[in-house]
Amino acid sequence: MKFSLCGFSCFSSSSRKPTINTTTPGEQNHDNLRIFSSEELQIATDGFSSSNKIGEGAFGSVYRGQLRDGSIVAVKVLSVEVESMRGEREFITELAALCNIKHENLVKLQGCCVDGANRYLIFDYMENNSLAQILFGKEKNRMKFSWEARRDISLGVARGMAYLHEEFQPHLVHRDIKASNILLDQNFTPKVADFGLSRILTDKASHVSTKVAGTLGYLAPEYAITGHLTRKSDVYSFGVLLLEIISGRSAVDFDLELGEHYLVQKAWQAYKDNKLIKVVDNTLNLNFPEEEALRFLMIGLLCVQETAKLRPRMSTVAKMLTNETDIRDVQISQPGQLPDLKNIRLHQKQTSESSSSRERTWTTVMSLPSTTYF
């Protein structure tokens, strides 16, 4: 099986020899995507020095690099295991997704490199790293995170996702929306990143059946249980992210005595008790418009409703955030939750053993390290 994308030829694991075309390193191909040599990247990152490492994700590490022309880039390194070709699918998926995407709120891919078992993706450098660093780093970081910044970032992410879901062809479901995958440039403009898990959704398809992958706390429960991926799966993840941005709390908290605490549950309980305003991050010191903050929290709860069809489309979410669509009389139903992860994992293991054609696997990231860049 052969994939042709953006002027490249990448071969499946059956060939064991993924290659690219004969474009000279450093040149631009017809899609304005640059082919880098491994030597260029070695020099740019000072041999991928640990001092230049700016992040680490599920599929590789990211390094800061300076090219010969003086421009600063982020180099994502995906190491492919030769026998299993693990990581090859993520490389091809991300390359295919990003080479034609152009939107202010989506990360821009500059180029790539294939060298032996290594795959490199080169992006614009984001001066302010990821949203996770602000939200889940030191409290003094959140104290500098004004209401205006939170509002603009929330709206930017919503617009970027609406573009992927409804405007970009073919439509894409990101599948791993979370704080560490939202990058911030020098002006704190949000950029949705890491498309290694994304999947195409055609206009005629109601869902895509796929192995379950994502991050604990952000996974839509119906997707986690059935493996049926829809755009509403992404909407759920965005709802969790929105609650995080406004509250300054992570999707899942861990307590030695009380176990796991889920932000969605806390927000829903506060809503039922008519105390939703108390969910707003206290580091804002009441320097925020109360009505707007409540609206954002309610939008977050609308996005995480248990019944997927009740969740709004991302284009509607963007209009709700700007108050173009009034939500004052909207009824919010209870959120979808994953209270017993052990049973779900057991169910998926049994399903895998009983039917290979319906195999389900569970890929989770149990925490959100502040160093994650992509």
Side-chain angles (χ1 to χ4, degrees), residues 123-300:
F123 299 89
D124 285 348
Y125 179 70
M126 298 289 116
E127 289 81 358
N128 286 300
N129 209 291
S130 73
L131 180 58
Q133 273 208 331
I134 295 176
L135 286 177
F136 313 126
K138 297 179 180 179
E139 188 171 295
K140 65 179 182 181
N141 290 347
R142 295 207 328 272
M143 292 178 69
K144 299 176 183 177
F145 196 28
S146 69
W147 173 258
E148 290 74 21
R150 297 174 196 236
R151 177 182 59 207
D152 293 346
I153 289 171
S154 301
L155 182 57
V157 175
R159 286 172 171 167
M161 291 178 63
Y163 171 81
L164 291 174
H165 286 186
E166 302 169 34
E167 299 176 45
F168 182 70
Q169 292 291 340
H171 302 316
L172 281 181
V173 180
H174 185 280
R175 206 159 62 131
D176 199 19
I177 293 295
K178 59 183 178 181
S180 56
N181 282 340
I182 308 301
L183 306 184
L184 305 172
D185 68 9
Q186 60 183 347
N187 299 315
F188 282 87
T189 301
K191 312 281 185 179
V192 179
D194 201 339
F195 288 76
L197 296 179
S198 63
R199 291 292 180 268
I200 290 174
L201 185 67
T202 62
D203 288 325
K204 296 181 180 180
S206 62
H207 67 271
V208 176
S209 293
T210 179
K211 294 179 180 179
V212 177
T215 302
L216 178 62
Y218 294 90
L219 282 170
E222 77 282 353
Y223 167 52
I225 295 171
T226 68
H228 290 176
L229 179 72
T230 70
R231 278 171 278 206
K232 295 301 179 74
S233 308
D234 269 1
V235 173
Y236 183 96
S237 300
F238 175 82
V240 177
L241 176 68
L242 183 57
L243 293 175
E244 287 184 321
I245 292 173
I246 306 307
S247 69
R249 304 176 186 177
S250 62
V252 183
D253 285 331
F254 295 91
D255 187 284
L256 292 177
E257 294 183 0
L258 300 177
E260 297 173 349
H261 290 266
Y262 293 85
L263 177 58
V264 168
Q265 292 175 331
K266 290 182 178 179
W268 174 245
Q269 188 61 50
Y271 173 74
K272 291 195 298 181
D273 295 340
N274 200 27
K275 297 178 180 179
L276 194 55
I277 196 65
K278 291 188 177 181
V279 176
V280 179
D281 193 346
N282 57 19
T283 63
L284 286 169
N285 294 319
L286 301 180
N287 293 319
F288 60 89
E290 183 173 317
E291 183 179 343
E292 187 173 44
L294 283 172
R295 186 172 79 249
F296 275 44
L297 289 170
M298 289 176 66
I299 294 169

Side-chain angles (χ1 to χ4, degrees), residues 64-73:
R64 181 184 184 276
Q66 183 171 0
L67 303 179
R68 291 171 182 171
D69 62 6
S71 60
I72 306 298
V73 295

Side-chain angles (χ1 to χ4, degrees), residues 44-85:
T45 60
D46 192 22
F48 295 98
S49 168
S50 58
S51 62
N52 282 323
K53 189 174 182 178
I54 55 177
E56 187 167 0
F59 301 110
S61 301
V62 183
Y63 297 82
R64 181 184 184 276
Q66 183 171 0
L67 303 179
R68 291 171 182 171
D69 62 6
S71 60
I72 306 298
V73 295
V75 182
K76 182 177 182 179
V77 183
L78 288 162
S79 182
V80 179
E81 296 175 6
V82 177
E83 291 303 317
S84 65
M85 296 304 290

